[in-house]
Amino acid sequence: MPGAGLLIVNADDWGRDAETTTRILDCARLRAVSAVSAMVFMKDSERAAMIARQQGIEAGLHLNLTTPFSAPGCPAPLLERQRTLARNLRRHRLAQVVFHPGLIYSFEYVIAAQLDEFRRLYGANPDRIDGHHHMHLCANVLLGRLLPPGTLVRRSFSFQPGEKSQWNRLYRRVVDGILARRHRLVDFFFSLAPLEPPSRLQGILSLARDFVVEVETHPANPEEYRFLTAGEIFRRAADTRLAPPSAVSCLW
């Protein structure tokens, strides 16, 4: 539907540590980000959840399979199983595309624990899920059907023809096709960085006039933080609707 698009600017790593949460909160208060992706079992997860609930910041689950949990009192079995997953997923560049039969239970355990912890912290099931280092798209998660059906799940990065190899684009289409069987997806997904050249970001924002576009950002990165807190996103997206992911359901 022409004119039915919207722009979701989502800040990743909410709750990872106090500095990251504070930087994202600065952007959220300025409405420069429209949603956050929350990490659980991390140093600042408890405080971040309290802030989000008090200030009405829309949060999804930032599934973490690769960065060690840092919250005090995190159960030892959970820490060990997540470390095992991290070692395997980061062993080599293509590890995430390989299904690991010996890790089936560890994936199930670590993901279920994070879903339960999100419910405890935020008082509800996550309506939206993405992944730290995009590991929610790894073979064990996809083929194991470990994400709740019907949720809005972050798709693969969108690229213009020629930006990536033909095989890379084909793999991403296959992944998105598997996701779409059980989950809701936005039309396009990009990273805010790199900010140069300006024409790149302008092209992304122009898509949001007619399509649902998600842009991920990491305000812990000083360049992205300055861009967002200076209001540059509003100048670049002046004719685009900046909205939280919950607004997507109104378009379907």
Side-chain angles (χ1 to χ4, degrees), residues 89-208:
L89 289 172
R90 308 197 76 173
R91 181 172 294 171
H92 56 81
R93 189 169 59 88
L94 297 179
Q96 72 181 91
V97 308
V98 178
F99 187 86
H100 301 271
L103 296 177
I104 289 175
Y105 178 73
S106 291
F107 273 100
E108 292 175 348
Y109 178 81
V110 172
I111 291 174
Q114 292 184 69
L115 289 168
D116 286 343
E117 182 68 356
F118 184 95
R119 295 184 193 104
R120 183 185 75 83
L121 292 174
Y122 290 87
N125 291 315
D127 292 326
R128 176 174 50 86
I129 298 175
D130 52 51
H132 195 51
H133 300 133
H134 305 280
M135 290 299 175
H136 68 297
L137 302 179
C138 74
N140 276 74
V141 176
L142 286 179
L143 301 181
R145 297 187 171 188
L146 300 183
L147 304 181
T151 50
L152 180 63
V153 174
R154 179 177 285 172
R155 64 183 302 144
S156 301
F157 277 116
S158 304
F159 292 104
Q160 296 296 326
E163 281 191 271
K164 293 289 182 177
S165 71
Q166 181 179 356
W167 290 111
N168 187 300
R169 296 199 304 274
L170 176 61
Y171 170 73
R172 293 175 188 276
R173 284 199 295 271
V174 170
V175 167
D176 289 343
I178 294 173
L179 277 178
R181 294 172 190 168
R182 303 181 73 244
H183 306 286
R184 295 174 292 140
L185 310 180
V186 300
D187 298 317
F188 295 96
F189 169 59
F190 301 93
S191 171
L192 181 64
L195 296 172
E196 299 294 338
S199 58
R200 172 191 173 270
L201 186 56
Q202 206 57 52
I204 292 171
L205 298 178
S206 66
L207 285 171

Side-chain angles (χ1 to χ4, degrees), residues 17 25 34 37 39 71 123 127 135 177 185 205 236:
D17 52 55
L25 181 59
S34 54
S37 289
M39 303 180 81
D127 292 326
M135 290 299 175
L185 310 180
L205 298 178
R236 301 282 188 94

